[in-house]
């Protein structure tokens, strides 16, 4: 980012000023002097200034950060299998779900709910909380080739994909990278549908379809939805024979840069190897571990954002870095003012959806409109329990956008990392 955001065109400015000189002879002299000397001097000064600016930027080290994680969701029937940017979080989602009739019969005989499939609720966070009631039953029909049977169903929040985000927290630490909260609102609107019972069901028949009456939630239910992210699972083997380290315990495994995609970033994901250090040197990856033989390393390839069109919005945690923010990160300056807090929120890149409207410290905030995106972090050190809440107010650009409170939860989560002494909550105003 340039120190001065607006580019000043000196030539255009001079042309406008020339038109204000009525005397043609004076205008000719002015043009000769300016173009012959002043513009050349201005060009030299601008070039020197840009060089000085670049040297200042290069002397300030950029803070080490993890790769940007981008999420989305799409109808399985609309997904392009040649997409090399976003991939299914679970590859098995691309296969149509088949109901195991034998497992269903066993489950019903044991009076145990049987998982049917996962649905997406395209609704606001507060409405999703009302939908999340396992004690509520829905009526529906099970269709086979020859018959239809009345059945009872209930829903539970799907947590499988959110556990993959939780595993990313471990992977970031494995790669010696500071954690970055992930903006994945679609994952909080996935619900698993379970069959509680089927009336007079003939266990010999194969289930072809289950039609459920979700009552007031029916208009918001979406089927065949597949969560996506920009992480691709790859395996890369150590390029050379590992070199022993001076500690006589570990070995340094090197992977040459030509094995990596040039514009992608990589995260080592091996959970079965005790990794002592991970570092990058001139594009090569060096992994220190006790294994003395070459290893096939499991990795996430973090694909850079591509210009592709999707039915739903891309949601990411990329940070808009400014020179001032870089200096704050280098010198570890804490956030002390509302202006600095506003700049932190704006850097998340969602200002076109939510505008930060204010902050207030309150004794309690019972009617919470946000959830904790990093609720899986349990090793954070805090000084006692929360006694004060920090309430963040946001004004939405579109009050009907169903992801408003989910985006707000992500922004509140970013702020929470900077203020562990407060319970950070958000509300729409």
């Amino acid at each position: 980012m340039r120190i001065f955001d607006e580019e000043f065109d000196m030539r255009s400015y001079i042309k406008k000023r020339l038109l204000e000189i009525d005397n043609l002879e004076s205008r000719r002299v002015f043009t000769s002097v300016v173009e012959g000397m002043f513009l050349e001097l201005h060009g030299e000064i601008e070039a020197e200034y840009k060089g000085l600016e670049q040297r200042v930027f290069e002397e300030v080290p950029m803070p080490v950060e993890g790769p940007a994680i981008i999420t989305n969701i799409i109808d399985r029937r609309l997904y392009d299998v040649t997409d090399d940017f976003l991939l299914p979080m679970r590859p098995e989602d691309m296969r149509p779900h088949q109901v195991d009739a034998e497992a269903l019969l066993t489950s019903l005989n044991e009076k145990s709910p049987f998982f049917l499939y996962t649905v997406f609720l395209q609704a606001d966070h507060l409405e999703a909380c009302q939908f999340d009631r396992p004690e509520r039953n829905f009526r529906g029909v099970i269709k086979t080739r020859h018959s239809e049977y009345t059945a009872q169903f209930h829903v539970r929040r799907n947590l499988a994909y959110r556990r993959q985000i939780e595993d990313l927290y471990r992977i970031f630490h494995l790669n010696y990278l500071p954690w970055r909260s992930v903006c994945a609102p679609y994952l909080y609107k996935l619900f698993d549908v379970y069959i509680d019972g089927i009336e007079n069901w003939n266990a010999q028949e194969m289930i072809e379809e289950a039609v459920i009456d979700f009552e007031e939630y029916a208009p918001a239910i979406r089927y065949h939805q597949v969560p996506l992210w920009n992480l691709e699972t790859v395996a890369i083997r150590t390029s050379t024979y590992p070199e022993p380290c001076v500690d006589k315990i570990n070995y340094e495994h090197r992977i040459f840069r030509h094995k990596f995609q040039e514009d992608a970033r990589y995260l080592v994901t091996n959970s079965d190897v005790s990794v002592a250090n991970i570092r990058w040197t001139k594009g090569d990856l060096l992994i220190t571990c006790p294994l003395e033989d070459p290893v096939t390393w499991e990795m996430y390839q973090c694909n850079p954002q591509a210009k592709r069109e999707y039915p739903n919005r891309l949601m990411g945690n990329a940070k808009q870095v400014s020179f001032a923010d870089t200096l704050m990160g280098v010198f570890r300056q804490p956030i002390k003012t509302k202006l600095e807090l506003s700049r932190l929120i704006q850097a998340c890149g969602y200002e076109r959806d939510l505008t930060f409207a204010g902050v207030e410290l309150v004794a309690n905030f019972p009617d919470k409109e946000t959830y904790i995106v990093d609720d899986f972090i349990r090793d954070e050190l805090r000084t006692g329990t929360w006694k004060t809440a920090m309430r963040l107010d946001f004004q939405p650009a579109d009050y009907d956008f169903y992801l408003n409170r989910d985006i707000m939860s992500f922004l509140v989560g970013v702020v929470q990392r900077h203020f562990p002494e407060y319970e950070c909550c958000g509300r729409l105003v």
Side-chain angles (χ1 to χ4, degrees), residues 85-129:
F85 169 41
L86 294 182
L87 296 97
M89 294 182 66
R90 299 173 64 183
E92 58 268 26
D93 288 342
M94 297 306 300
R95 299 189 295 268
H97 181 69
Q98 299 291 334
V99 178
D100 187 336
E102 183 177 349
L104 173 59
L105 177 61
T106 301
S107 180
L108 295 179
N109 290 336
E110 296 176 352
K111 306 297 181 181
S112 176
F114 180 80
F115 170 74
L116 188 59
Y117 49 65
T118 301
V119 296
F120 176 74
L121 183 71
Q122 188 171 319
D124 177 73
H125 165 63
L126 298 182
E127 189 173 353
C129 291

Side-chain angles (χ1 to χ4, degrees), residues 330-343:
V330 170
F331 295 105
R332 300 186 181 275
Q333 291 294 321
I335 295 175
K336 298 179 180 179
T337 67
K338 292 182 181 180
L339 180 61
E340 293 173 347
L341 180 60
S342 175
R343 189 164 57 196

Side-chain angles (χ1 to χ4, degrees), residues 227-241:
L228 309 174
W229 62 1
N230 64 326
L231 301 184
E232 181 178 355
T233 302
V234 297
I236 305 178
R237 191 168 178 78
T238 305
S239 298
T240 61
Y241 202 81

Side-chain angles (χ1 to χ4, degrees), residues 174-300:
L174 175 65
N175 289 265
Y176 294 88
L177 294 171
W179 173 244
R180 295 174 65 177
S181 299
V182 177
C183 185
Y186 301 113
L187 306 187
Y188 290 83
K189 302 183 186 298
L190 294 170
F191 292 86
D192 292 334
V193 179
Y194 289 84
I195 301 178
D196 292 320
I198 306 176
E199 298 178 6
N200 304 317
W201 182 52
N202 181 0
Q204 302 301 319
E205 295 193 75
M206 182 68 67
I207 295 177
E208 293 187 347
E209 185 181 7
V211 180
I212 306 169
D213 180 11
F214 285 106
E215 302 175 11
E216 70 270 25
Y217 300 102
I221 295 295
R222 303 289 182 270
Y223 298 91
H224 314 295
Q225 299 298 303
V226 177
L228 309 174
W229 62 1
N230 64 326
L231 301 184
E232 181 178 355
T233 302
V234 297
I236 305 178
R237 191 168 178 78
T238 305
S239 298
T240 61
Y241 202 81
E243 299 180 4
C245 299
V246 293
D247 60 8
K248 299 182 180 180
I249 298 176
N250 294 301
Y251 295 81
E252 191 170 71
H253 294 245
R254 180 183 292 268
I255 301 177
F256 294 139
R257 62 183 302 173
H258 71 267
K259 291 193 174 184
F260 301 110
Q261 184 176 310
E262 185 176 355
D263 53 353
R265 295 190 62 181
Y266 292 82
L267 297 170
V268 177
T269 64
N270 291 67
S271 59
D272 57 341
V273 180
S274 178
V275 176
N277 189 27
I278 294 177
R279 59 192 178 93
W280 292 82
T281 302
K282 296 180 180 180
D284 291 353
L285 175 60
L286 286 81
I287 307 172
T288 305
C289 71
L291 302 179
E292 58 180 317
D293 295 320
V295 176
T296 299
W297 296 97
E298 299 172 2
M299 298 185 188
Y300 275 145

Side-chain angles (χ1 to χ4, degrees), residues 372-427:
I372 304 174
V373 295
D374 293 333
D375 58 348
F376 48 81
I377 299 180
R378 303 178 183 89
D379 57 351
E380 187 175 29
L381 300 177
R382 291 199 180 114
T383 56
T385 57
W386 284 322
K387 295 182 180 180
T388 305
M390 175 182 285
R391 189 186 66 205
L392 304 165
D393 294 337
F394 295 89
Q395 185 175 5
D398 179 7
Y399 281 91
D400 295 328
F401 185 40
Y402 75 102
L403 294 180
N404 279 335
R405 288 184 171 87
D406 299 274
I407 296 174
M408 182 168 61
S409 297
F410 167 69
L411 298 177
V412 169
V414 172
V415 175
Q416 182 71 78
R417 299 285 292 168
H418 289 264
F419 295 93
E421 67 272 24
Y422 300 120
E423 179 185 10
C424 296
C425 309
R427 70 172 181 177

